[in-house]
Structure formats: C-alpha cells, structure tokens
C-alpha cells in the first residue's frame, strides 16, 4: 500500500497542475494529452492535482509538447526557502 501524501506533496502537485494548465492555454486537453502519449483523463488528473507525483517521463513528455523547460518546471515546484 502506498503511504499517504504529505501536505507538501499535495501542494506541489497543485502547483504543477496550475503550471501545466497555464502552458496548455487554449489547446484542448485531448490534443495535448495525445501529443504527449497519454490519455486525456491522466492529463486531467495531473492538472487537477489528483496525480500529484507523475513519473518523470510523463512530465518530460508534457514539457516538450507544451514547450516548457524542465528547468522552469523544477523551479516552479521547488518550495521557497523559509527563514
């Protein structure tokens, strides 16, 4: 059984979903998902944070289709250092 997600993992998944939705813009979820080699339902779950920790290769495929660098994604998902 998979351990439950931490609040930080859930928040990171929501930030990822928001970034991907913004990058998708006016393109349909079906179009982007097909181009990335996944189902529209999988992309919908990622965008809504229901799959907060997708596999690296899934993110890499979406980054390529959406023309978003992996560096930008990593930067967006890295929590700010709290002092």
């Amino acid at each position: 059984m998979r351990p439950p997600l931490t609040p930080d993992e859930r928040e990171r998944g929501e930030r990822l979903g928001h970034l991907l939705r913004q990058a998708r813009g006016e393109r349909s979820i079906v179009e982007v998902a097909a181009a990335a080699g996944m189902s529209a339902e999988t992309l919908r779950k990622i965008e809504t944070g229901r799959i907060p920790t997708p596999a690296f290769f899934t993110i890499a495929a979406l980054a390529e289709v959406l023309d978003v660098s992996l560096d930008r994604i990593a930067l967006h998902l890295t929590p700010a250092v709290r002092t």
Side-chain angles (χ1 to χ4, degrees):
M1 187 166 158
R2 185 177 177 177
L5 297 171
T6 66
D8 286 342
E9 289 170 327
R10 284 195 295 277
E11 181 184 333
R12 188 174 57 232
E14 290 169 5
R15 287 195 314 265
L16 173 63
H18 181 74
L19 175 67
L20 295 175
R21 277 192 307 279
Q22 283 185 321
R24 183 166 56 84
E26 297 297 317
R27 290 182 277 182
S28 78
I29 203 164
V30 173
E31 172 191 345
V32 171
M38 67 186 66
S39 72
E41 183 59 22
T42 296
L43 180 52
R44 185 174 292 109
K45 286 178 179 178
I46 294 169
E47 285 188 357
T48 60
R50 290 185 310 183
I51 299 178
T53 57
F56 171 79
F57 293 105
T58 300
I59 296 303
L62 286 168
E64 183 176 341
V65 169
L66 296 172
D67 196 28
V68 176
S69 74
L70 289 173
D71 287 341
R72 179 174 173 213
I73 292 172
L75 203 75
H76 191 79
L77 299 181
T78 303
V81 176
R82 296 180 182 144
T83 56

